[in-house]
Each structure stands twice: as C-alpha cells, then as structure tokens.
Amino acid sequence: MLKRLLAGCLSVFFVAAAAAQEYPTRTINIVVPFAPGGPTDTVTRLVGQAMGKSLGQTMIVENVAGAGGTIGVEKVARAKPDGYTLLLMHIGISTAPSLYRSLPFDPVKDLEPVGLVTNVPMTVIGNKDFAPKDMKELIAYVKANKDKVTYANAGVGAASHLCGMLFMTAIQTDLTTVPYKGTGPAMTDLIGGQVDFMCDQTTNTTPQIKGGKVKGMAVTTKTHVKSLNELPTVEESGLKGFEVAVWHGMWAPAGTPKPVIDKLSAALKTALKDPAVVSKFAELGTEPVAESRATPEAARAHLKAEIEKWAPIIKKAGVYAD
Ligand code: ASP
C-alpha cells in the first residue's frame, strides 16, 4: 500500500518536473488588472511580445479590471500555478494591503515573483479647457474651488489613486474623485472634458501631452523627465518632498515550479534588452530596470519594502476601502 502510494507520488512529481522542463508548450496569459489602452496595458504588451519571442510562444494580455486592480491580482493569486497565467502589476500591489480592510489575497504569500520590469514617472495633466495653466495655478485653483473640481483615477489601489491621495494630503484639500476601470478610459473622458484633471503615468500621457490633447502641468519625480523636459516637477511647483513613481513587476501564482520561474525571469531579462522595448520605453518617458532587478529575489525584497513604506503613509492619509 505504502509502496504504491509512494510510486504514485513520485510519478506525479516526475510528470510535473517534465512539464516544467518542456515549458512553455502553449500560449501564456498575462493578466493586466486594468482596462485596455492604459499604461499597464501598454507596458505589458511591449514586454509580453518581446518575452514571447525568446520563449517561443505567444503571450496574450487579458484585461481583468476593477477595484483598483485588486480583482485581476486576485484572479492570478487563485490561478493554477503552471506558468500559463501571469500577472503584470505595479506599485498598487504594495499599497492595497494598507488600503483595503479585507483584501482577498496576500501579495507576498499568494504570488511568486518573476522580476521587476520598469519604474514609470507620473504627470499631472488637466483637460484643455481647465482654468489653471500650470501646476502652481492648479494648486491655488483646486484649493479655492474644491467643491467643483473633479479628479479622475483608476480606483482605490491604482497609481493614479495613490498620486491623487498624496496630492490631496499635501494641499490638505479633499476633492471629488471619479473612478474608472483604468486610466485608458479616464483619459478618454479627460480629453472629452468630462473630468478636470488626473495624475497618470508617462506611458499613457506622453502622446496626449505632446499631441496637445491635454495640458501637461508637472512630473511627479524629483528630476525632470527627458522626453517631457519642458514640464517642471511637482516639487518645483511648490509641494516640497512630493515624489511618486510607478514600479512594475511580474508575478506568477504561488507554487509555480522554480524551473518555470527561472525561464520566465530569463525571458524577462532578454525582453528588457530588446531594442524595440528600450526605444519605445524611452519615447514614453521610462526605461527598463537593470538586469539584476529583473529577478525573483529583487522583486520579492522590493515588494516587502514597499508594503512597509506605504503602510504608515496611507494610515496617516486615513484612506480605506472595503
Ligand atoms: N495603471 C493603471 C492603468 O493601466 C492606472 C493606474 O494605476 O492609475 O489603467
């Protein structure tokens, strides 16, 4: 009896090991927890296409939007750990544990990191008819008109939510927020004039700023962004110490075999050196992380540090969701 059980266990083990060796033998899904056409979608499509080349399989983006990205993350946390369902998520994976009173997953325990991907600056942008013409005017204007100004974001847990929360804390003014399933659709409404302003990643805002469809007001990094060099920083515009950038990482469900994770991490490293990825990233105001950061170890350590970094800041802001 015991012998048969042992033999059974061993054969399951060998089948799993062989599958990991052969991986990947079919299309891989990458879940983007926001709507199509937004910044996370853009980064994922670029990286996924390049990774697919070295893995010899197609990587398909699946947009699972809602609740500031937490619905998509939960889907991957509960997916089969076979390497065919992955997640591309950003800083929001580290703020959600503090923002949500009952989060249905633990990003550290329920996910297996593949590696970090990129760090994207944000920009404060307004619709073309929005009264303030620059960041300094915007600060004064929203303080004076707080009951009528609207701020678009992609829900509690999104980077646009985090940036807005930091901004409102910095100017000690609460504004009306309008949540979307991603800043792709939020951008459409901003261009259409249905909302006044938002803070979103350069990977989404650069073409719209350069094309004159929205008013670029400031960047949220400490230094200027090369591709949008005319924009001042938020700090230069008067909010001392204001800084936020949006790191991204790739994850698989916890329990994904190590050989699979290693193959994915190697493909991620190759993708981040792909000239098409590097030049498109530069055009959109960002760059790939250093090779040593596109690893499970770096992503694991970064996630833990970021959860610790944001917890007291969110607690102080007093923002919670159920
Ligand atoms: N990254 C989100 C998106 O792709 C938006 C956000 O986090 O603010 O729509």
Side-chain angles (χ1 to χ4, degrees), residues 257-276:
K258 187 166 182 305
V260 170
I261 295 288
D262 289 345
K263 275 190 191 170
L264 287 167
S265 177
L268 176 61
K269 283 182 193 153
T270 307
L272 295 182
K273 279 187 270 178
D274 188 310

PDB file of all heavy atoms in Angstrom, residues 257-276:
ATOM      1  N   PRO A 257       6.409  26.116 -10.324  1.00  0.00           N
ATOM      2  CA  PRO A 257       7.727  25.455 -10.180  1.00  0.00           C
ATOM      3  C   PRO A 257       8.906  26.395 -10.489  1.00  0.00           C
ATOM      4  O   PRO A 257       8.812  27.231 -11.389  1.00  0.00           O
ATOM      5  CB  PRO A 257       7.665  24.328 -11.218  1.00  0.00           C
ATOM      6  CG  PRO A 257       6.215  24.134 -11.517  1.00  0.00           C
ATOM      7  CD  PRO A 257       5.538  25.440 -11.277  1.00  0.00           C
ATOM      8  N   LYS A 258       9.972  26.216  -9.735  1.00  0.00           N
ATOM      9  CA  LYS A 258      11.142  27.092  -9.887  1.00  0.00           C
ATOM     10  C   LYS A 258      11.709  27.105 -11.312  1.00  0.00           C
ATOM     11  O   LYS A 258      12.065  28.178 -11.822  1.00  0.00           O
ATOM     12  CB  LYS A 258      12.215  26.720  -8.857  1.00  0.00           C
ATOM     13  CG  LYS A 258      13.362  27.694  -8.874  1.00  0.00           C
ATOM     14  CD  LYS A 258      14.255  27.559  -7.671  1.00  0.00           C
ATOM     15  CE  LYS A 258      15.376  28.588  -7.683  1.00  0.00           C
ATOM     16  NZ  LYS A 258      16.201  28.595  -8.894  1.00  0.00           N
ATOM     17  N   PRO A 259      11.816  25.925 -11.983  1.00  0.00           N
ATOM     18  CA  PRO A 259      12.349  25.974 -13.361  1.00  0.00           C
ATOM     19  C   PRO A 259      11.517  26.871 -14.281  1.00  0.00           C
ATOM     20  O   PRO A 259      12.052  27.505 -15.191  1.00  0.00           O
ATOM     21  CB  PRO A 259      12.268  24.515 -13.819  1.00  0.00           C
ATOM     22  CG  PRO A 259      12.160  23.697 -12.587  1.00  0.00           C
ATOM     23  CD  PRO A 259      11.527  24.555 -11.548  1.00  0.00           C
ATOM     24  N   VAL A 260      10.192  26.936 -14.031  1.00  0.00           N
ATOM     25  CA  VAL A 260       9.315  27.791 -14.839  1.00  0.00           C
ATOM     26  C   VAL A 260       9.607  29.264 -14.526  1.00  0.00           C
ATOM     27  O   VAL A 260       9.773  30.097 -15.423  1.00  0.00           O
ATOM     28  CB  VAL A 260       7.821  27.442 -14.560  1.00  0.00           C
ATOM     29  CG1 VAL A 260       6.892  28.468 -15.194  1.00  0.00           C
ATOM     30  CG2 VAL A 260       7.508  26.042 -15.053  1.00  0.00           C
ATOM     31  N   ILE A 261       9.704  29.554 -13.244  1.00  0.00           N
ATOM     32  CA  ILE A 261      10.001  30.946 -12.834  1.00  0.00           C
ATOM     33  C   ILE A 261      11.353  31.366 -13.417  1.00  0.00           C
ATOM     34  O   ILE A 261      11.504  32.484 -13.924  1.00  0.00           O
ATOM     35  CB  ILE A 261      10.032  31.061 -11.279  1.00  0.00           C
ATOM     36  CG1 ILE A 261       8.644  30.782 -10.691  1.00  0.00           C
ATOM     37  CG2 ILE A 261      10.569  32.429 -10.832  1.00  0.00           C
ATOM     38  CD1 ILE A 261       7.597  31.844 -10.916  1.00  0.00           C
ATOM     39  N   ASP A 262      12.335  30.474 -13.371  1.00  0.00           N
ATOM     40  CA  ASP A 262      13.666  30.804 -13.889  1.00  0.00           C
ATOM     41  C   ASP A 262      13.618  31.094 -15.395  1.00  0.00           C
ATOM     42  O   ASP A 262      14.264  32.026 -15.872  1.00  0.00           O
ATOM     43  CB  ASP A 262      14.655  29.672 -13.601  1.00  0.00           C
ATOM     44  CG  ASP A 262      14.989  29.591 -12.111  1.00  0.00           C
ATOM     45  OD1 ASP A 262      14.682  30.558 -11.393  1.00  0.00           O
ATOM     46  OD2 ASP A 262      15.544  28.559 -11.677  1.00  0.00           O
ATOM     47  N   LYS A 263      12.827  30.295 -16.125  1.00  0.00           N
ATOM     48  CA  LYS A 263      12.702  30.540 -17.569  1.00  0.00           C
ATOM     49  C   LYS A 263      12.036  31.884 -17.829  1.00  0.00           C
ATOM     50  O   LYS A 263      12.442  32.630 -18.726  1.00  0.00           O
ATOM     51  CB  LYS A 263      11.861  29.426 -18.219  1.00  0.00           C
ATOM     52  CG  LYS A 263      12.671  28.218 -18.586  1.00  0.00           C
ATOM     53  CD  LYS A 263      11.870  27.239 -19.431  1.00  0.00           C
ATOM     54  CE  LYS A 263      12.644  25.930 -19.533  1.00  0.00           C
ATOM     55  NZ  LYS A 263      11.882  24.843 -20.120  1.00  0.00           N
ATOM     56  N   LEU A 264      11.020  32.187 -17.038  1.00  0.00           N
ATOM     57  CA  LEU A 264      10.314  33.455 -17.226  1.00  0.00           C
ATOM     58  C   LEU A 264      11.224  34.640 -16.906  1.00  0.00           C
ATOM     59  O   LEU A 264      11.238  35.647 -17.613  1.00  0.00           O
ATOM     60  CB  LEU A 264       9.057  33.497 -16.342  1.00  0.00           C
ATOM     61  CG  LEU A 264       7.900  32.608 -16.804  1.00  0.00           C
ATOM     62  CD1 LEU A 264       6.841  32.484 -15.712  1.00  0.00           C
ATOM     63  CD2 LEU A 264       7.275  33.156 -18.090  1.00  0.00           C
ATOM     64  N   SER A 265      11.981  34.508 -15.831  1.00  0.00           N
ATOM     65  CA  SER A 265      12.874  35.596 -15.441  1.00  0.00           C
ATOM     66  C   SER A 265      13.959  35.823 -16.500  1.00  0.00           C
ATOM     67  O   SER A 265      14.301  36.966 -16.832  1.00  0.00           O
ATOM     68  CB  SER A 265      13.484  35.292 -14.068  1.00  0.00           C
ATOM     69  OG  SER A 265      14.378  36.284 -13.712  1.00  0.00           O
ATOM     70  N   ALA A 266      14.477  34.712 -17.062  1.00  0.00           N
ATOM     71  CA  ALA A 266      15.486  34.840 -18.134  1.00  0.00           C
ATOM     72  C   ALA A 266      14.873  35.538 -19.351  1.00  0.00           C
ATOM     73  O   ALA A 266      15.497  36.415 -19.964  1.00  0.00           O
ATOM     74  CB  ALA A 266      16.013  33.459 -18.517  1.00  0.00           C
ATOM     75  N   ALA A 267      13.623  35.169 -19.679  1.00  0.00           N
ATOM     76  CA  ALA A 267      12.952  35.786 -20.833  1.00  0.00           C
ATOM     77  C   ALA A 267      12.665  37.271 -20.555  1.00  0.00           C
ATOM     78  O   ALA A 267      12.744  38.111 -21.460  1.00  0.00           O
ATOM     79  CB  ALA A 267      11.650  35.047 -21.131  1.00  0.00           C
ATOM     80  N   LEU A 268      12.344  37.577 -19.301  1.00  0.00           N
ATOM     81  CA  LEU A 268      12.098  38.978 -18.933  1.00  0.00           C
ATOM     82  C   LEU A 268      13.381  39.799 -19.115  1.00  0.00           C
ATOM     83  O   LEU A 268      13.361  40.896 -19.694  1.00  0.00           O
ATOM     84  CB  LEU A 268      11.600  39.052 -17.480  1.00  0.00           C
ATOM     85  CG  LEU A 268      11.387  40.450 -16.905  1.00  0.00           C
ATOM     86  CD1 LEU A 268      10.322  41.230 -17.687  1.00  0.00           C
ATOM     87  CD2 LEU A 268      10.979  40.371 -15.430  1.00  0.00           C
ATOM     88  N   LYS A 269      14.498  39.248 -18.646  1.00  0.00           N
ATOM     89  CA  LYS A 269      15.793  39.950 -18.796  1.00  0.00           C
ATOM     90  C   LYS A 269      16.096  40.218 -20.265  1.00  0.00           C
ATOM     91  O   LYS A 269      16.535  41.316 -20.634  1.00  0.00           O
ATOM     92  CB  LYS A 269      16.925  39.113 -18.202  1.00  0.00           C
ATOM     93  CG  LYS A 269      16.962  39.162 -16.704  1.00  0.00           C
ATOM     94  CD  LYS A 269      18.135  38.341 -16.201  1.00  0.00           C
ATOM     95  CE  LYS A 269      18.023  38.117 -14.727  1.00  0.00           C
ATOM     96  NZ  LYS A 269      18.689  36.908 -14.275  1.00  0.00           N
ATOM     97  N   THR A 270      15.876  39.205 -21.105  1.00  0.00           N
ATOM     98  CA  THR A 270      16.129  39.368 -22.546  1.00  0.00           C
ATOM     99  C   THR A 270      15.197  40.431 -23.129  1.00  0.00           C
ATOM    100  O   THR A 270      15.627  41.290 -23.905  1.00  0.00           O
ATOM    101  CB  THR A 270      15.899  38.012 -23.275  1.00  0.00           C
ATOM    102  OG1 THR A 270      16.684  37.028 -22.610  1.00  0.00           O
ATOM    103  CG2 THR A 270      16.295  38.079 -24.733  1.00  0.00           C
ATOM    104  N   ALA A 271      13.930  40.379 -22.733  1.00  0.00           N
ATOM    105  CA  ALA A 271      12.945  41.338 -23.264  1.00  0.00           C
ATOM    106  C   ALA A 271      13.332  42.773 -22.911  1.00  0.00           C
ATOM    107  O   ALA A 271      13.163  43.696 -23.715  1.00  0.00           O
ATOM    108  CB  ALA A 271      11.562  41.017 -22.706  1.00  0.00           C
ATOM    109  N   LEU A 272      13.859  42.952 -21.704  1.00  0.00           N
ATOM    110  CA  LEU A 272      14.190  44.313 -21.257  1.00  0.00           C
ATOM    111  C   LEU A 272      15.419  44.876 -21.969  1.00  0.00           C
ATOM    112  O   LEU A 272      15.734  46.056 -21.833  1.00  0.00           O
ATOM    113  CB  LEU A 272      14.366  44.347 -19.731  1.00  0.00           C
ATOM    114  CG  LEU A 272      13.086  44.036 -18.936  1.00  0.00           C
ATOM    115  CD1 LEU A 272      13.348  44.134 -17.434  1.00  0.00           C
ATOM    116  CD2 LEU A 272      11.931  44.950 -19.317  1.00  0.00           C
ATOM    117  N   LYS A 273      16.117  43.998 -22.719  1.00  0.00           N
ATOM    118  CA  LYS A 273      17.258  44.482 -23.522  1.00  0.00           C
ATOM    119  C   LYS A 273      16.864  44.605 -25.000  1.00  0.00           C
ATOM    120  O   LYS A 273      17.661  45.038 -25.817  1.00  0.00           O
ATOM    121  CB  LYS A 273      18.431  43.508 -23.368  1.00  0.00           C
ATOM    122  CG  LYS A 273      19.196  43.770 -22.073  1.00  0.00           C
ATOM    123  CD  LYS A 273      20.446  42.945 -21.994  1.00  0.00           C
ATOM    124  CE  LYS A 273      20.144  41.632 -21.343  1.00  0.00           C
ATOM    125  NZ  LYS A 273      21.092  40.641 -21.175  1.00  0.00           N
ATOM    126  N   ASP A 274      15.663  44.175 -25.327  1.00  0.00           N
ATOM    127  CA  ASP A 274      15.190  44.225 -26.710  1.00  0.00           C
ATOM    128  C   ASP A 274      15.158  45.691 -27.166  1.00  0.00           C
ATOM    129  O   ASP A 274      14.529  46.530 -26.520  1.00  0.00           O
ATOM    130  CB  ASP A 274      13.778  43.615 -26.762  1.00  0.00           C
ATOM    131  CG  ASP A 274      13.265  43.429 -28.168  1.00  0.00           C
ATOM    132  OD1 ASP A 274      13.327  44.398 -28.957  1.00  0.00           O
ATOM    133  OD2 ASP A 274      12.790  42.321 -28.475  1.00  0.00           O
ATOM    134  N   PRO A 275      15.852  46.021 -28.286  1.00  0.00           N
ATOM    135  CA  PRO A 275      15.914  47.419 -28.725  1.00  0.00           C
ATOM    136  C   PRO A 275      14.533  48.054 -28.929  1.00  0.00           C
ATOM    137  O   PRO A 275      14.354  49.250 -28.666  1.00  0.00           O
ATOM    138  CB  PRO A 275      16.667  47.338 -30.060  1.00  0.00           C
ATOM    139  CG  PRO A 275      17.404  46.041 -30.026  1.00  0.00           C
ATOM    140  CD  PRO A 275      16.631  45.117 -29.141  1.00  0.00           C
ATOM    141  N   ALA A 276      13.556  47.249 -29.371  1.00  0.00           N
ATOM    142  CA  ALA A 276      12.208  47.804 -29.591  1.00  0.00           C
ATOM    143  C   ALA A 276      11.593  48.229 -28.251  1.00  0.00           C
ATOM    144  O   ALA A 276      10.935  49.280 -28.156  1.00  0.00           O
ATOM    145  CB  ALA A 276      11.323  46.763 -30.263  1.00  0.00           C
TER     146      ALA A 276
END
